Amino acid sequence: MHKPRYFLLLAVAVLGLGCFLAIAPSATQPDEWRMYLGMTCIILSLCVAALIEAIQAQSKRIGELERKLADRPAPPTSPGER
């Protein structure tokens, strides 16, 4: 799964941007929009990271279920059933 790595990198970049906007002192007068934008970036990155974790857990669970299904013997069929 290569796509979640790209999304994780994006989430980390957005998290860094959000922290910078929320914490970094402003050279001009302190504006509220920087804090709101920073917090939005932080929340967005956390949601993306949670989504990536859920996708990876789901993929792992599907793989486990497929292996269990492949290991199960096929049920016997009678000659009259088709």
Side-chain angles (χ1 to χ4, degrees), residues 9-80:
L9 181 63
L10 176 67
V12 169
V14 172
L15 180 64
L17 175 67
C19 289
F20 174 76
L21 289 173
I23 296 172
S26 177
T28 61
Q29 62 184 4
D31 292 330
E32 295 267 334
W33 70 270
R34 285 190 68 188
M35 181 62 75
Y36 292 135
L37 182 62
M39 290 299 160
T40 303
C41 289
I42 290 171
I43 291 171
L44 177 68
S45 65
L46 292 176
C47 290
V48 169
L51 179 66
I52 292 167
E53 186 65 29
I55 289 171
Q56 288 178 344
Q58 182 183 21
S59 175
K60 183 179 177 183
R61 180 67 179 149
I62 289 172
E64 289 174 1
L65 290 173
E66 286 176 347
R67 280 192 296 278
K68 285 182 182 178
L69 187 60
D71 291 343
R72 259 171 73 182
T77 59
S78 62

